[in-house]
Amino acid sequence: MNFAEKLKAKALETGQKSIEKEVVVVDKAANKEGLAAMLGARAKATNQQSVVTQAPSPTVKKAGSLNALSNALKQAKETREEVRGAMVIDFPTAAVRAWSFSTLKKFENCQWAVKLGKVDKIYVESGEAAQRGTLIHDGCEEWVRGNIAELPADPRTKFDQLSGDFTTLREEFRAGKVTMEENWGIRKDWSPCEWDDDELWGRAKLDAFVLEDEHSCRIIDYKTGRKFGNEMKHADQGLSYALHAMYRYPELDVFRVEFWYIDEGIKMLRTFNRRQLGMLILRMHNRAKKLTTTKDFIPSANAHTCRFCEYGCNTNKEGKAYGNGACGFDHYRGLDVA
């Protein structure tokens, strides 16, 4: 007795009725017309109404030639740019007339800190880390220029792991390919200018700029401190430098940004082409525009933004303050008393 027969016998013993369902075998249609006929017959047998629909006609015409395809792509790009919006360059600046990347990041972290520094002109003494970074940057520049015999090493630096890169950079400097610590300025339309220009809107200063050939360049920035946790910020900084270079050198197509982490002996590389930068500039422009048109600066007081603020009163484990305590909105003000 198989399994089905056992089930039927059990049903008879218990007085239950077994239900047998008819299995409908549908033959596979050979083509679309056959499938439609089968579906129609099945619908008629089950008293259902068949609904006939037509696929919508394509709204995009297929390009008949390469020229037509090129024109279609160009039209799509223009439409996308119109939707995205044009870059506004005719606007009055407010309290902060010109921006740099460091000021922009500080503004996006806490607007009030920019007001204290750029508007109220409250003096801030450089901390030990900033002073050390300045000494190492200056020493690297002097070594590449050939003015000193050794790189500015200390117990924390790892110049030995970057010695080949620095040697190549010095050779490129001697070949006339490298400029260092130049004052790059831009106007609101991103046209290059000097820092003393009446229409100056943005500033940048590169540690080293290498003009490799007629189509490509390298932008080098020395970093003291660690890479981990700063990748996004540094990549954003590299983008701003590449945008400056794109307008200062209109003949270049490839912009390679290199961050040399001197305390770790490693590098981080980012490469942009002119097309990519053209798509990224609007967002950077609007960020800088917001900074230079802001009249009412809003504080962003919280444990994160105030922790190492140069205008705050938070202290380290030894009780030394990170800032000068000038900010009245500081998150850590009065916490010890409370």
Side-chain angles (χ1 to χ4, degrees):
M1 182 180 294
N2 58 27
F3 182 71
E5 293 174 344
K6 289 181 180 180
L7 288 178
K8 291 181 180 180
K10 187 66 175 176
L12 291 174
E13 292 177 2
T14 57
Q16 298 180 10
K17 294 182 179 180
S18 61
I19 300 176
E20 295 184 2
K21 187 175 181 180
E22 180 183 359
V23 178
V24 179
V25 179
V26 180
D27 295 332
K28 185 176 180 181
N31 50 41
K32 292 182 179 180
E33 291 75 10
L35 177 61
M38 290 174 58
L39 292 176
R42 185 63 181 170
K44 183 177 180 180
T46 55
N47 296 323
Q48 298 182 28
Q49 293 183 353
S50 60
V51 179
V52 181
T53 59
Q54 288 184 341
S57 59
T59 57
V60 180
K61 295 181 179 179
K62 184 177 180 180
S65 63
L66 290 178
N67 290 335
L69 177 60
S70 176
N71 294 333
L73 292 175
K74 183 178 179 181
Q75 183 179 2
K77 180 181 178 182
E78 292 175 352
T79 303
R80 184 173 65 250
E81 291 178 348
E82 290 177 0
V83 173
R84 185 177 60 180
M87 189 167 65
V88 178
I89 61 175
D90 185 14
F91 56 88
T93 55
V96 181
R97 178 172 170 267
W99 66 280
S100 64
F101 178 78
S102 59
T103 304
L104 177 60
K105 293 302 293 183
K106 183 181 294 185
F107 175 81
E108 293 175 340
N109 187 58
C110 179
Q111 298 181 13
W112 195 256
V114 173
K115 178 185 180 298
L116 295 176
K118 298 297 182 181
V119 181
D120 299 342
K121 307 292 184 181
I122 296 179
Y123 173 76
V124 175
E125 184 178 354
S126 298
E128 295 180 2
Q131 294 176 12
R132 175 178 176 269
T134 300
L135 288 174
I136 291 178
H137 277 69
D138 293 344
C140 291
E141 179 188 355
E142 292 301 312
W143 186 88
V144 173
R145 292 184 184 276
N147 297 333
I148 59 176
E150 297 181 357
L151 286 164
D154 65 19
R156 295 164 57 185
T157 57
K158 295 183 179 179
F159 280 110
D160 55 333
Q161 299 181 28
L162 296 171
S163 60
D165 298 287
F166 272 101
T167 300
T168 299
L169 184 61
R170 183 167 59 177
E171 293 173 353
E172 290 174 326
F173 176 78
R174 292 173 178 172
K177 296 182 177 181
V178 180
T179 58
M180 292 181 287
E181 298 292 335
E182 284 191 335
N183 295 334
W184 285 10
I186 56 170
R187 304 179 182 92
K188 294 175 185 176
D189 61 355
W190 287 76
S191 60
C193 66
E194 301 300 324
W195 280 14
D196 58 356
D197 192 278
D198 293 337
E199 298 182 16
L200 176 71
W201 182 61
R203 297 186 182 93
K205 178 174 283 193
L206 281 58
D207 290 338
F209 178 80
V210 185
L211 194 60
E212 293 186 313
D213 52 45
E214 59 183 2
H215 298 296
S216 63
C217 69
R218 283 162 47 225
I219 298 168
I220 300 173
D221 191 75
Y222 310 134
K223 292 295 183 187
T224 52
R226 64 180 185 176
K227 171 187 175 183
F228 180 77
N230 293 305
E231 294 90 343
M232 295 296 293
K233 175 184 176 181
H234 294 165
D236 197 22
Q237 180 182 8
L239 171 62
S240 70
Y241 289 166
L243 290 171
H244 275 268
M246 179 179 70
Y247 281 89
R248 187 166 287 265
Y249 294 90
E251 71 279 7
L252 298 181
D253 295 318
V254 180
F255 306 82
R256 179 173 176 175
V257 184
E258 302 181 1
F259 293 95
W260 295 8
Y261 295 91
I262 295 174
D263 290 346
E264 298 179 294
I266 58 177
K267 298 192 299 183
M268 183 176 75
L269 310 178
R270 292 290 185 274
T271 302
F272 304 95
N273 58 44
R274 184 168 289 273
R275 177 178 174 273
Q276 291 172 326
L277 294 176
M279 294 173 9
L280 295 171
I281 187 172
L282 181 62
R283 182 173 180 271
M284 181 70 70
H285 179 87
N286 288 338
R287 290 166 63 191
K289 177 175 174 287
K290 181 178 179 180
L291 163 61
T292 55
T293 56
T294 293
K295 298 179 181 179
D296 298 322
F297 295 85
I298 302 173
S300 301
N302 57 62
H304 174 70
T305 59
C306 298
R307 184 179 181 186
F308 301 114
C309 180
E310 55 196 357
Y311 302 105
C313 55
N314 189 29
T315 59
N316 59 18
K317 295 180 180 179
E318 288 74 29
K320 185 176 181 180
Y322 293 111
N324 57 17
C327 179
F329 298 97
D330 182 42
H331 172 80
Y332 296 92
R333 182 179 299 277
L335 288 184
D336 294 337
V337 177

